[in-house]
């Protein structure tokens, strides 16, 4: 197998990875960034980005990530397509080992993990049909497109309540589809949701399918109470928001990097330092709380600054 030595390896091509590449290349670390299976990251699943500073008229997420990429390349970062298939951070030979597509071994001095997180979906066929056409996993990103419209949010946790509250300030009507007879969210969030006149909570409802022509126009739900009471319900909606949790893309590193109970990589205080010296985590893979492009970019910047200090 071919082996290559790299000073600063960046894994992931969302805002965190590319920002790390911009800073690392300007610090002369000759970074190499691997894009992974979703070049541009989670942002590319949305239709328009309107809340990233510097784009007053909004921006197509592909254009934005292409700008990030060009900016990194301008200072010498090397962007490669390829997927990390295995790592060995035990530092047995003093280096951090990373395998790409099972056919290249990289010996790195520093690694920035910016592999992001993936929103969970229900697994319905129609979810895929309408992805970006009424189906979204981020109210903060896409809610604005549903002003004065009717939307549904799926989930009963803090994220679902937060998204429902956010959407209730923009939309005419919000349905909260909860599979259990109660919310799992914190008391205060539950209270706020229940007090909002334009939020209707549909307890013990599950989504069967989304309906519509070229975009979401409705959802068929099933209401189930016990074994006997079961009926189908249809709601007319313009948007369908998933808020049933995220999965941080950290499984590959779990033998070496400490994570919380949900798999988010733990970092040292406000820094991107992980428990392995020379390995830094940036963006959503280490952030269960904010999950925004701008906060991911900021943590990518921090990771590159720390990597530079470490390599010195
Ligand atoms: P959670 O895991 O807390 O909640 C997920 C919700 O989605 C649950 O109600 C769950 O139902 C439901 N769900 C899961 N799978 C399905 C499915 N297939 N069909 C229907 N419903 C489903 O995730 P969150 O993202 O809400 O929160 C993650 C963590 O982040 C939590 O610890 C939360 O407290 C925290 N958080 C804190 C915030 C804050 O403090 N402001 C804001 C947002 C999150 P069920 O209950 O039946 O399992």
């Amino acid at each position: 197998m071919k082996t290559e030595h790299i000073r600063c390896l960046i894994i992931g091509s969302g805002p965190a990875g590319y920002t790390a590449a911009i800073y690392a290349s300007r610090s002369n670390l000759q970074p190499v960034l691997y894009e992974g299976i979703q070049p541009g990251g989670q942002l590319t699943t949305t239709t328009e980005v309107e809340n990233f500073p510097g784009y007053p008229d909004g921006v197509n997420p592909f254009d934005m990530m292409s700008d990030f990429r060009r900016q990194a390349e301008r200072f010498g970062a090397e962007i490669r397509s390829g997927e990390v298939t295995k790592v060995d951070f035990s530092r047995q030979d003093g280096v951090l080992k990373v395998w790409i597509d099972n056919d290249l071994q990289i010996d790195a001095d520093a690694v920035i993990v910016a592999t992001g997180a993936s929103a969970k979906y229900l697994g319905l066929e129609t979810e895929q049909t309408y992805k970006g056409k009424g189906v979204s996993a981020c109210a903060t990103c896409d809610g604005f497109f549903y002003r004065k419209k009717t939307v549904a949010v799926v989930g009963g946790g803090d994220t679902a309540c937060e998204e429902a509250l956010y959407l209730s300030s923009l939309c005419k009507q919000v349905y909260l589809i909860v599979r259990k007879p109660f919310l799992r969210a914190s008391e205060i969030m539950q209270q706020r949701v229940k007090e909002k006149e334009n939020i209707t909570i549909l307890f013990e409802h599950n989504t069967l399918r989304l309906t519509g022509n070229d975009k979401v126009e409705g959802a068929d739900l099933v209401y189930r109470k016990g074994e006997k009471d079961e009926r189908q319900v249809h709601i007319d909606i313009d948007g369908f928001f998933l808020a049933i949790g995220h999965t941080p893309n950290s499984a590959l590193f779990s033998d070496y990097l400490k994570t919380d109970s949900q798999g988010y990589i733990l970092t040292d205080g406000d820094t991107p330092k992980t428990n392995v010296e020379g390995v830094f985590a940036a963006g959503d893979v280490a952030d269960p709380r904010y999950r925004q492009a701008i906060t991911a970019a900021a943590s990518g910047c921090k990771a590159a600054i720390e990597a530079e200090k470490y390599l010195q």
Side-chain angles (χ1 to χ4, degrees), residues 122 154-160 162 179-180 184 243-245 262 289:
L122 294 171
V154 189
D158 279 315
T159 303
E162 217 170 60
R179 66 180 173 183
K180 291 221 173 102
R184 182 202 283 218
I244 59 171
Q262 296 173 67
R289 195 174 176 89

Side-chain angles (χ1 to χ4, degrees), residues 31-304:
V32 171
L33 178 151
Y34 274 91
E35 284 184 318
I37 44 172
Q38 190 175 38
Q42 272 187 92
L43 210 58
T44 57
T45 63
T46 185
T47 41
E48 196 178 353
V49 181
E50 291 185 330
N51 54 5
F52 200 91
Y55 294 98
D57 302 318
V59 61
N60 174 296
F62 290 98
D63 294 344
M64 180 169 131
M65 295 323 294
S66 151
D67 285 349
F68 271 58
R69 181 186 168 128
R70 280 198 301 124
Q71 196 168 349
E73 284 176 327
R74 183 180 149 206
F75 301 110
E78 190 182 335
I79 316 292
R80 298 181 186 170
S81 53
E83 201 188 337
V84 173
T85 41
K86 196 172 91 170
V87 301
D88 179 349
F89 289 164
S90 62
R91 280 200 178 274
Q92 272 175 357
D93 309 322
V95 289
L96 299 156
K97 292 185 181 159
V98 175
W99 284 266
I100 310 291
D101 295 324
N102 288 320
D103 65 14
L104 169 67
Q105 180 186 321
I106 289 175
D107 292 344
D109 296 329
V111 174
I112 296 175
V113 176
T115 44
S118 307
K120 289 184 192 161
Y121 284 80
L122 294 171
L124 306 173
E125 208 181 301
T126 44
E127 254 173 350
Q128 296 307 318
T129 315
Y130 296 115
K131 217 168 177 179
K133 298 173 192 161
V135 173
S136 166
C138 178
T140 323
C141 320
D142 297 332
F144 197 66
F145 304 115
Y146 299 90
R147 279 186 317 275
K148 300 194 172 70
K149 295 190 173 175
T150 300
V151 297
V153 176
V154 189
D158 279 315
T159 303
C161 289
E162 217 170 60
E163 308 250 290
L165 284 167
Y166 177 76
L167 290 165
S168 72
S169 62
L170 297 168
C171 303
K172 189 171 70 186
Q173 166 78 41
V174 179
Y175 292 105
L176 185 58
I177 304 170
V178 184
R179 66 180 173 183
K180 291 221 173 102
F182 55 84
L183 293 170
R184 182 202 283 218
S186 53
E187 245 349 283
I188 186 161
M189 294 301 277
Q190 295 195 28
Q191 200 56 38
R192 284 185 193 155
V193 164
K194 285 172 184 166
E195 279 168 7
K196 273 276 173 186
E197 277 184 7
N198 64 342
I199 299 180
T200 305
I201 308 179
L202 301 172
F203 286 114
E204 295 173 290
H205 281 71
N206 277 288
T207 313
L208 294 175
R209 70 189 71 80
L210 299 169
T211 59
N213 290 308
D214 51 354
K215 60 182 174 52
V216 170
E217 289 167 17
D220 290 332
L221 314 178
V222 59
Y223 166 76
R224 253 186 227 112
K225 193 164 187 70
E227 281 182 13
K228 290 197 181 132
D229 195 357
E230 179 173 321
R231 59 182 172 317
Q232 281 204 27
V233 180
H234 179 83
I235 51 172
D236 289 327
I237 48 168
D238 305 289
F240 185 77
F241 288 83
L242 280 309
I244 59 171
H246 281 77
T247 310
N249 302 322
S250 62
L252 208 57
F253 313 101
S254 59
D255 286 347
Y256 303 96
L257 302 184
K258 284 189 186 154
T259 65
D260 69 8
S261 59
Q262 296 173 67
Y264 288 95
I265 297 175
L266 293 173
T267 53
D268 183 13
D270 193 30
T271 80
K273 292 179 189 171
T274 70
N275 58 297
V276 176
E277 236 184 275
V279 179
F280 307 90
D284 287 13
V285 73
D287 177 10
R289 195 174 176 89
Y290 299 107
R291 299 195 295 248
Q292 298 300 302
I294 188 71
T295 49
S299 69
C301 155
K302 290 185 195 176

